[in-house]
Amino acid sequence: MKQARVLTDAEFKRMLAVVAQMKHAGRNRLALMLSHLAGLRVGEIAALTVRDIIDGDGKVREQLRLSAEVTKGGHARVVFLNDKLRREIERYAGEHLGDRAADTPLLMTQKRTAFSANTLCQLMGELYRSAGLDGATSHSGRRWFITRLAHSGVSPKVIMTLAGHRNLATTQRYIDVRDEMMKAAVDLL
């Protein structure tokens, strides 16, 4: 089975520029950022509520807990939110959440309902196509996240845990390798 395309830095920037010009830009940008910067699956993103991301004091959490019911493997896990993603969430919250109840979905459809995993998957596919990124899917952000961690020298065990995988071989299938990466590795010698 062909894997989702992993975006280059330039493609990722282009993707965000295209999304900025679209209707529901803030929501769509946050969905992409949750995928790319936290490695969340589309079903996990769709299941997020305001309470999962924003604490009782209105502050963005440093980590979120995904219950076993929303993860693919059926195992609860902790997802850490880096500073960049936390700033994205703060911006989104300031512009879009207002006084929404804590148990409402973080991201809502045009009809003000929760996304299903399938609907959010379709939306993300449309966003990538709009940016001319053939082969990119809702899983591209997750592969980007895992690949970036691997190429930054993060321990495979840590990456596996962050991804919510139970098997290292599963994690390794996500890592994208390109010619320039191989050349840079050889140049280290």
Side-chain angles (χ1 to χ4, degrees), residues 41 44 66-77 164 166:
R41 294 175 180 97
E44 295 165 347
L66 296 176
S67 67
E69 295 79 35
V70 302
T71 64
K72 183 177 179 183
H75 301 281
R77 79 175 196 272
R166 294 282 182 215

Side-chain angles (χ1 to χ4, degrees), residues 116-148:
S116 68
N118 186 48
T119 305
L120 188 54
C121 181
Q122 290 175 19
L123 171 65
M124 290 177 103
E126 288 175 28
L127 297 175
Y128 286 118
R129 280 189 297 281
S130 295
L133 299 169
D134 295 333
T137 71
S138 62
H139 226 55
S140 291
R142 186 166 166 77
R143 285 199 67 220
W144 186 90
F145 173 80
I146 292 169
T147 295
R148 275 306 192 74

Side-chain angles (χ1 to χ4, degrees), residues 31 34 40-49 52 70 105-108 113-121:
L34 287 164
L40 295 178
R41 294 175 180 97
V42 71
E44 295 165 347
I45 296 169
L48 290 174
T49 64
D52 294 328
V70 302
L106 178 66
L107 303 177
M108 291 188 163
T113 61
F115 276 97
S116 68
N118 186 48
T119 305
L120 188 54
C121 181

Side-chain angles (χ1 to χ4, degrees), residues 3-155:
Q3 291 196 354
R5 175 181 179 169
V6 176
L7 277 57
T8 65
D9 290 347
E11 289 171 333
F12 186 59
K13 286 178 184 174
R14 184 171 82 222
M15 173 81 227
L16 295 178
V18 168
V19 167
Q21 303 303 313
M22 302 175 106
K23 192 173 183 184
H24 308 291
R27 176 200 68 192
N28 296 345
R29 179 183 171 98
L30 185 57
L32 290 167
M33 296 305 248
L34 287 164
S35 177
H36 282 80
L37 298 179
L40 295 178
R41 294 175 180 97
V42 71
E44 295 165 347
I45 296 169
L48 290 174
T49 64
V50 172
R51 176 182 295 119
D52 294 328
I53 300 291
I54 309 291
D55 68 18
D57 295 327
K59 302 287 185 205
V60 176
R61 298 182 188 278
E62 292 185 11
Q63 56 185 273
L64 64 98
R65 299 185 184 283
L66 296 176
S67 67
E69 295 79 35
V70 302
T71 64
K72 183 177 179 183
H75 301 281
R77 79 175 196 272
V78 174
V79 175
F80 293 89
L81 307 176
N82 66 28
D83 289 340
K84 185 174 182 177
L85 181 54
R86 291 179 73 229
R87 284 191 303 272
E88 290 286 339
I89 294 167
E90 286 170 359
R91 180 174 26 181
Y92 178 79
E95 295 173 5
H96 300 282
L97 295 184
D99 58 355
R100 260 208 265 160
D103 60 346
T104 60
L106 178 66
L107 303 177
M108 291 188 163
T109 67
Q110 293 181 149
K111 296 178 182 178
R112 310 283 299 153
T113 61
F115 276 97
S116 68
N118 186 48
T119 305
L120 188 54
C121 181
Q122 290 175 19
L123 171 65
M124 290 177 103
E126 288 175 28
L127 297 175
Y128 286 118
R129 280 189 297 281
S130 295
L133 299 169
D134 295 333
T137 71
S138 62
H139 226 55
S140 291
R142 186 166 166 77
R143 285 199 67 220
W144 186 90
F145 173 80
I146 292 169
T147 295
R148 275 306 192 74
L149 291 175
H151 293 180
S152 297
V154 175
S155 158

